[in-house]
């Protein structure tokens, strides 16, 4: 319990109203102040789903008091990286979180290691 925020990243899946409507169950009894539902998919939301996604966001925010931010992963990262005093520490801190956070699924660690080995092969 207690107040917390969350981030969920969908790989190559557009954001849907069903994903938003599932959030209160994920929150459980905790008080969530802000939740980011991010995706690597382009577009982030299909044109035909935009209205239902916005309605779902309003409903979940009204029900839970949680601010829901559904956006693209890269767009969000670029926005927030500009706010950091020293963005060069991001990779190191992220690596530490991957190693210590029990909620991180093993397959995410495998994907992360592949990205690092491809981008920073030595």
């Amino acid at each position: 319990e207690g107040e917390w925020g969350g981030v969920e990243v969908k790989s190559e899946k557009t954001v849907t109203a069903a994903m938003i409507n599932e959030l209160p169950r994920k929150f459980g009894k905790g008080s969530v102040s802000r939740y980011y539902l991010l995706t690597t998919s382009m577009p982030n939301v299909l044109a035909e789903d935009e209205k239902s996604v916005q309605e779902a966001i309003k409903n979940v925010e009204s029900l839970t008091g949680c601010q829901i931010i559904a956006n693209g992963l890269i767009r969000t990262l670029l926005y927030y990286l500009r706010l950091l005093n020293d963005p060069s520490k991001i990779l190191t801190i992220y690596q530490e979180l991957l190693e210590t956070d029990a909620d991180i699924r093993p397959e995410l660690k495998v994907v992360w290691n592949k990205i690092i080995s491809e981008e920073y092969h030595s």
Side-chain angles (χ1 to χ4, degrees):
E1 294 197 27
E3 189 170 302
W4 56 277
V7 176
E8 182 175 348
V9 178
K10 298 292 186 183
S11 179
E12 298 304 318
K13 292 181 183 178
T14 57
V15 174
T16 65
M19 290 174 185
I20 304 295
N21 290 327
E22 178 70 10
L23 294 178
R25 185 194 63 75
K26 289 182 177 185
F27 298 164
K29 295 183 182 191
S31 176
V32 181
S33 59
R34 182 176 294 153
Y35 195 88
Y36 292 86
L37 181 57
L38 307 175
T39 180
T40 61
S41 177
M42 292 295 282
N44 307 324
V45 177
L46 295 176
E48 61 266 25
D49 293 338
E50 284 192 36
K51 184 177 179 185
S52 64
V53 166
Q54 288 307 314
E55 287 175 2
I57 288 172
K58 286 179 188 173
N59 289 339
V60 170
E61 286 181 350
S62 175
L63 178 68
T64 66
C66 176
Q67 180 184 19
I68 308 295
I69 298 150
N71 202 1
L73 174 65
I74 299 302
R75 179 181 293 167
T76 302
L77 287 175
L78 291 174
Y79 177 81
Y80 284 105
L81 281 174
R82 71 181 178 80
L83 301 174
L84 299 176
N85 289 331
D86 187 0
S88 68
K89 295 180 182 178
I90 291 292
L91 289 179
T92 303
I93 293 168
Y94 187 70
Q95 184 70 35
E96 289 172 9
L97 285 171
L98 282 177
E99 292 171 3
T100 59
D101 189 334
D103 290 333
I104 302 295
R105 295 188 323 239
E107 54 268 26
L108 177 60
K109 293 177 184 182
V110 169
V111 170
W112 177 252
N113 288 332
K114 182 178 180 209
I115 291 169
I116 291 299
S117 68
E118 289 173 359
E119 292 296 321
Y120 300 99
H121 55 279
S122 41

